[in-house]
Amino acid sequence: MRVIQTLPELRQALQASGCAFVPTMGNLHEGHLSLVRQAGALSQPVVASIFVNRLQFAPHEDFDTYPRTFDRDCTLLREAGCDIVFAPPERELYPEPQGYTVQPPAGLADVLEGHFRPGFFNGVCTVVLKLFNAVQPAVAVFGKKDYQQLMVVRGMVRQLALPIRIEAGETCRADDGLALSSRNGYLSAAERAEAPALARTLREVAAHLHAGATDCAALEAQAMHTLAQRGWAPDYVAVRRQRDLGEPVPAEPLVVLAAARLGTTRLIDNLECMPMAG
């Protein structure tokens, strides 16, 4: 496995190879590694990037303290079958202030995560487009755990006519149901014991929908209340269409999405579910 830090070296190593690509911010866990293995089954070679992207962090968020575990990450990537790790220093991707940015449509990017983290998807799209231009993959794999991000990236690739196939990887979970996340390491022991309640809440909402419930607003409000009663500070629990995160309508596949803070740690999760009854 090669570790590459500069764009010229990366381009020389790949040379229109039609690779598979998995972008990450490092601090890897089994969820990331499952995406790398999925990528390896789709195309060769497999390239993973490690880059903590300042543009997607608000001033009050954890850019400076975000865990950076580069040596461990490289070991895990090598074991997962990665061929090239692209780990540019910040000045390599941003040699000058980034005046040109990618602004995704407000209807998709300014709701849910975008509402609570203004500018987040602008930063995501800008760095992903830069990485796509650098790596020029045939296929890129993104996890469903960041469901809205997956939808935003798919839309960018489609509307900008990028010659890249976007594949989705299923969410990896701990045995107790907690979605794996780099930020789970922030949780105290007591918070880690409570954290699976977020996934349980999503399953309860999905079960009501599967049983024919149609009052999504009531389900969302009850889920928010349940989390708050358990000591969480929920930002949202939302039932949306899978295809575009629009408001639910009968007979369309749905996804239940949630974001909530437990102590000082903000967790997100989602669960796809069967359509409402018509």
Side-chain angles (χ1 to χ4, degrees):
M1 187 182 77
R2 294 179 60 182
V3 176
I4 294 175
Q5 293 187 307
T6 69
L7 290 168
E9 184 183 356
L10 179 70
R11 288 166 175 155
Q12 183 176 12
L14 292 173
Q15 293 186 352
S17 63
C19 67
F21 179 46
V22 180
T24 84
M25 291 205 302
N27 193 29
L28 304 182
H29 52 69
E30 178 56 29
H32 298 106
L33 302 179
S34 70
L35 301 182
V36 171
R37 290 190 288 268
Q38 182 176 341
L42 296 169
S43 187
Q44 296 289 334
V46 177
V47 180
S49 62
I50 297 176
F51 182 72
V52 184
N53 177 42
R54 187 185 300 271
L55 290 189
Q56 67 195 65
F57 287 79
H60 66 281
E61 293 182 330
D62 58 342
F63 174 79
D64 290 325
T65 59
Y66 190 86
R68 290 157 170 87
T69 55
F70 184 73
D71 291 340
R72 174 182 172 274
D73 292 345
C74 286
T75 298
L76 293 174
L77 288 170
R78 183 180 296 108
E79 293 171 350
C82 182
D83 298 294
I84 294 175
V85 175
F86 181 47
E90 190 170 34
R91 66 181 178 276
E92 185 71 18
L93 279 192
Y94 298 122
E96 59 187 77
Q98 188 68 29
Y100 293 87
T101 60
V102 179
Q103 179 62 59
L108 179 60
D110 290 355
V111 300
L112 304 174
E113 284 300 286
H115 175 75
F116 288 94
R117 302 180 69 185
F120 172 71
F121 288 114
N122 181 296
V124 167
C125 286
T126 300
V127 76
V128 168
L129 183 59
K130 273 203 166 192
L131 290 168
F132 281 171
N133 286 334
V135 177
Q136 298 186 24
V139 59
V141 186
F142 289 78
K144 286 186 180 180
K145 191 256 180 183
D146 295 292
Y147 204 90
Q148 189 175 5
Q149 175 178 277
L150 172 65
M151 300 292 290
V152 168
V153 170
R154 277 180 167 164
M156 179 182 72
V157 167
R158 183 179 63 251
Q159 291 199 7
L160 297 182
L162 302 179
I164 303 168
R165 187 168 87 255
I166 302 299
E167 293 285 341
E170 296 298 329
T171 300
C172 286
R173 298 183 180 276
D175 290 342
D176 58 9
L178 176 65
L180 300 187
S181 169
S182 296
R183 289 186 168 92
N184 289 351
Y186 295 158
L187 298 168
S188 69
E191 290 165 349
R192 176 60 185 84
E194 168 61 23
L198 186 61
R200 289 198 301 271
T201 300
L202 295 178
R203 290 197 297 271
E204 290 168 4
V205 173
H208 285 298
L209 293 167
H210 184 62
T214 58
D215 190 344
C216 294
L219 292 175
E220 293 166 350
Q222 179 58 50
M224 295 269 285
H225 177 73
T226 297
L227 288 170
Q229 289 292 102
R230 297 184 65 94
W232 295 70
D235 284 341
Y236 61 83
V237 176
V239 180
R240 296 290 185 267
R241 294 193 299 252
Q242 285 183 27
R243 63 180 172 89
D244 61 2
L245 298 187
E247 293 296 326
V249 296
E252 284 210 33
L254 301 174
V255 58
V256 188
L257 308 104
R261 197 171 297 277
L262 185 58
T264 60
T265 305
R266 188 174 184 273
L267 301 178
I268 66 171
D269 201 354
N270 66 82
L271 184 65
E272 294 178 325
C273 57
M274 298 296 291
M276 295 181 293

